[in-house]
């Protein structure tokens, strides 16, 4: 019996070693292109085109690509525009989605489930199908070449429908007894929402903030169509124009590196709550 137990322990140990080895190799394969692009942004054109793709290290490193990046186009404005939109729009999306989800979760009214199904149905429609109608609405409303068009597109399309769905599922996991106790003490519905529900939904808020920030930061097609003023362009659209103005791939890699940094920072800041939400995503209970 002891020998059998020892054999099972040995097999389990080797299984763990094989599993971790495979995951490390898989991680290296996935990380390598990212690391290569970041390090290559510090190379000269001769190093980039003349060396093997396995030779990642710049010899010597140079910041000329980053200097050239801001000389060709006003990338400082592009970065500021993207940061502003990627903070303001997710905050608006979280506010709208959380309030809508709370109403769909806690308030009893006729057609509530039908309304929720309508929100879910919008997630099934590809965004390209509604592209022309959305653009027509924006033009007819006189909102072309304005940030308001970007706000409306993000808050009232399938992007925010998922946020409503996610918040609703998370709110279902919050005990109603907490809210009932607060209401008995004289707290209003809005007071319950801001003082009880939201403080207990920090993981959901963090997850939505990360996903919304990434979505807005990486948005390309809609800003390219709606925004025509150079001073209002976002970073992703600016990279598209950079490719037309600057044939040097090292400069393009420098622009790509700058576009990646904010997403990495946001994830590192919110990763604790993000992982908590991933483990307790609230998809149970009613």
């Amino acid at each position: 019996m002891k020998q059998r137990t020892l054999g099972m322990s040995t097999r389990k140990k080797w299984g763990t070693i094989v599993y971790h080895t495979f995951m490390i190799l898989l991680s290296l394969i996935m990380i390598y292109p990212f690391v290569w692009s970041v390090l290559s942004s510090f190379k000269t054109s001769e190093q980039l085109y003349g060396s093997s793709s396995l030779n990642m290290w710049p010899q010597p490193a140079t910041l000329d690509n980053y200097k050239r990046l801001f000389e060709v186009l006003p990338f400082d404005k592009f970065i500021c525009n993207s940061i502003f939109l990627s903070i303001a729009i997710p905050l608006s999306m979280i506010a709208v989605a959380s309030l809508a989800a709370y109403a769909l979760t806690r308030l009893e009214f006729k057609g509530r489930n039908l309304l929720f199904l309508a929100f879910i149905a919008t997630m099934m429609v590809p965004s390209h199908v509604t592209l022309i109608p959305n653009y027509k609405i924006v033009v007819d409303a006189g909102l072309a070449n304005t940030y308001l068009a970007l706000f409306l597109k993000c808050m009232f399309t399938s992007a925010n429908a998922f946020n409503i769905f996610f918040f609703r599922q998370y709110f279902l996991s919050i005990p109603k007894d907490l809210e009932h106790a607060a209401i008995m003490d004289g707290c209003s519905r809005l007071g319950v929402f801001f003082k009880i529900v939201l403080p207990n939904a920090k993981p959901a808020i963090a997850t939505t903030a990360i996903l919304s920030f990434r979505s807005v930061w990486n948005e390309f097609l809609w800003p390219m169509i709606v925004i025509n003023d150079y001073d209002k362009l976002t970073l992703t659209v600016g990279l598209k124009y950079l490719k037309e103005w600057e044939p040097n791939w090292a400069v393009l890699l420098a622009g790509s590196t700058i576009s990646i940094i904010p997403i990495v920072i946001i994830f590192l800041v919110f990763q604790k709550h993000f992982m908590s939400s991933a483990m307790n995503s609230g998809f149970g209970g009613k």
Side-chain angles (χ1 to χ4, degrees), residues 189-264:
R189 272 292 181 184
L190 282 178
V192 169
F193 176 74
F194 287 109
K195 296 178 181 179
I196 304 296
V197 176
L198 281 188
N200 284 283
K202 288 181 180 179
I205 295 173
T207 301
T208 307
I210 293 174
L211 297 178
S212 299
F213 182 93
R214 180 191 59 82
S215 176
V216 175
W217 183 268
N218 290 333
E219 182 72 33
F220 171 73
L221 184 58
W222 183 248
M224 185 184 69
I225 294 174
V226 174
I227 303 298
N228 302 316
D229 191 347
Y230 248 52
D231 292 336
K232 296 180 181 179
L233 291 181
T234 59
L235 183 58
T236 52
V237 180
L239 287 173
K240 182 257 184 186
Y241 286 104
L242 176 66
K243 186 178 179 181
E244 298 176 359
W245 283 73
E246 179 57 56
N248 189 344
W249 278 95
V251 178
L252 293 174
L253 288 173
S256 300
T257 300
I258 291 178
S259 70
I260 293 171
I261 291 174
I263 297 178
V264 175

Side-chain angles (χ1 to χ4, degrees), residues 52-272:
S52 170
S53 60
L54 298 177
N55 184 13
M56 294 192 302
W57 300 104
Q59 298 173 349
T62 178
L63 293 175
D64 291 343
N65 298 322
Y66 290 89
K67 294 178 182 178
R68 177 63 179 166
L69 186 67
F70 290 91
E71 292 174 356
V72 177
L73 290 172
F75 259 78
D76 52 341
K77 292 183 179 179
F78 298 165
I79 294 172
C80 291
N81 294 338
S82 290
I83 290 175
F84 166 71
L85 292 171
S86 298
I87 292 176
I89 293 179
L91 288 177
S92 302
M93 292 172 70
I94 290 172
V96 172
S98 59
L99 285 168
Y102 182 72
L104 291 171
T105 307
R106 294 293 192 259
L107 302 184
E108 296 288 344
F109 57 90
K110 189 175 181 180
R112 185 183 68 172
N113 293 332
L114 184 62
L115 183 60
F116 176 67
L117 290 176
F119 278 120
I120 299 300
T122 62
M123 297 169 56
M124 312 301 173
V125 181
S127 59
H128 294 81
V129 174
T130 58
L131 185 63
I132 294 176
N134 286 335
Y135 180 74
K136 186 71 166 58
I137 293 172
V138 165
V139 172
D140 291 344
L143 299 177
N145 200 32
T146 64
Y147 287 152
L148 185 57
L150 303 182
F151 272 83
L152 295 177
K153 168 67 165 53
C154 291
M155 284 193 292
F156 300 105
T157 56
S158 59
N160 215 26
F162 172 79
N163 294 338
I164 294 173
F165 168 75
F166 186 80
F167 270 114
R168 178 186 179 275
Q169 298 306 115
Y170 198 92
F171 289 163
L172 288 174
S173 66
I174 299 177
K176 292 183 179 180
D177 294 342
L178 295 174
E179 301 175 44
H180 293 160
I183 292 174
M184 290 180 63
D185 288 339
C187 192
S188 64
R189 272 292 181 184
L190 282 178
V192 169
F193 176 74
F194 287 109
K195 296 178 181 179
I196 304 296
V197 176
L198 281 188
N200 284 283
K202 288 181 180 179
I205 295 173
T207 301
T208 307
I210 293 174
L211 297 178
S212 299
F213 182 93
R214 180 191 59 82
S215 176
V216 175
W217 183 268
N218 290 333
E219 182 72 33
F220 171 73
L221 184 58
W222 183 248
M224 185 184 69
I225 294 174
V226 174
I227 303 298
N228 302 316
D229 191 347
Y230 248 52
D231 292 336
K232 296 180 181 179
L233 291 181
T234 59
L235 183 58
T236 52
V237 180
L239 287 173
K240 182 257 184 186
Y241 286 104
L242 176 66
K243 186 178 179 181
E244 298 176 359
W245 283 73
E246 179 57 56
N248 189 344
W249 278 95
V251 178
L252 293 174
L253 288 173
S256 300
T257 300
I258 291 178
S259 70
I260 293 171
I261 291 174
I263 297 178
V264 175
I265 293 175
I266 289 295
F267 179 77
L268 291 176
V269 171
F270 291 102
Q271 65 172 328
K272 179 180 178 181

Side-chain angles (χ1 to χ4, degrees), residues 35-68:
V35 176
W36 182 88
S37 63
V38 172
L39 293 177
S40 296
S41 67
F42 295 98
K43 293 181 179 180
T44 62
S45 299
E46 293 75 14
Q47 293 181 53
L48 183 62
Y49 295 115
S51 61
S52 170
S53 60
L54 298 177
N55 184 13
M56 294 192 302
W57 300 104
Q59 298 173 349
T62 178
L63 293 175
D64 291 343
N65 298 322
Y66 290 89
K67 294 178 182 178
R68 177 63 179 166

